[in-house]
């Protein structure tokens, strides 16, 4: 499969490493240009390209950048990209990193906001797992305790394609519903960064309470704030 990745951070870089090993043709871009991705390209066999080229690179395009960077994507980036191309959003909103984004603070779902900015439906996936787990914890189907990942978004046929990609990476793919249900996997929710197996993911998704979204976000933000402080 041909896959474009916009963003070469921890998740973007990890997906490039995993997918190239599985034989997919990966094109990867960041905001600083292809020359800054030479080492990653050499290591993985992925092709370093511009953001515009990554958006047109294949059947699936992953947007994996900080929320604050989404409005800075080139205008009309996906305007001429075929409608059957699946767009995955791995993003999470952390006010400590991204600043105040009023629409999100006021309750708009993170991936719905991304979809509205880029003008295309998105599938929310790979947002609730640490990059190290994504790199290391994939296991054959049927392995006891296999880590599961939720996938939410529309249309259903796009979601189905992402569910297959998740399975191929060695994780049990859990259909978490439409994009309107994606709040259940936002930062701080019960399913977030816990590496649950399939029953655990389903239980955690069911336990999430929409009224507690501000509390969940605050919890995740405090955790990231503490991490930033520890790096100084």
């Amino acid at each position: 499969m041909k896959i474009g990745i916009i963003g070469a951070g921890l998740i973007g870089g990890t997906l490039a490493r995993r997918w190239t090993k599985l034989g997919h043709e990966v094109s990867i871009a960041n905001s600083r240009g292809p020359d800054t991705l030479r080492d990653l390209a050499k290591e993985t066999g992925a092709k370093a390209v511009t953001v515009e080229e990554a958006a047109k690179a294949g059947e699936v395009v992953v947007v994996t950048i900080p929320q604050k960077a989404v409005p800075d994507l080139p205008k009309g980036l996906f305007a001429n990209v075929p409608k059957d191309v699946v767009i995955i959003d791995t993003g999470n909103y952390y006010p400590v990193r991204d600043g105040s984004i009023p629409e999100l603070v006021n309750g708009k779902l993170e991936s719905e906001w991304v979809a509205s900015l880029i003008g295309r439906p998105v599938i929310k996936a790979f947002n609730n797992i640490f990059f190290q787990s994504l790199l290391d914890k994939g296991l054959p189907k049927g392995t006891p305790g296999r880590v599961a990942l939720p996938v939410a978004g529309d249309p259903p046929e796009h979601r189905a394609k992402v569910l297959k990609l998740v399975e191929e990476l060695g994780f049990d793919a859990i259909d978490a519903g439409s994009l309107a249900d994606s709040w259940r996997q936002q930062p701080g929710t019960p399913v977030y960064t816990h590496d649950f197996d399939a029953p655990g993911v389903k239980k955690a998704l069911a336990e999430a309470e929409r009224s507690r979204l501000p509390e969940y976000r605050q919890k995740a933000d405090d955790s990231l704030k503490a991490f930033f402080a520890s790096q100084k």
Side-chain angles (χ1 to χ4, degrees), residues 5-13 15 62-66 88-91 126:
I5 301 176
I6 298 171
L10 296 176
I11 294 293
L15 287 171
V62 183
V63 178
T64 179
I65 59 178
I88 299 173
D89 171 37
T90 78
F126 306 115

Side-chain angles (χ1 to χ4, degrees), residues 44-62:
T44 63
K47 185 180 179 185
V49 298
T50 65
V51 169
E52 290 85 354
E53 287 168 334
K56 295 173 181 173
E59 303 156 63
V60 174
V61 178
V62 183

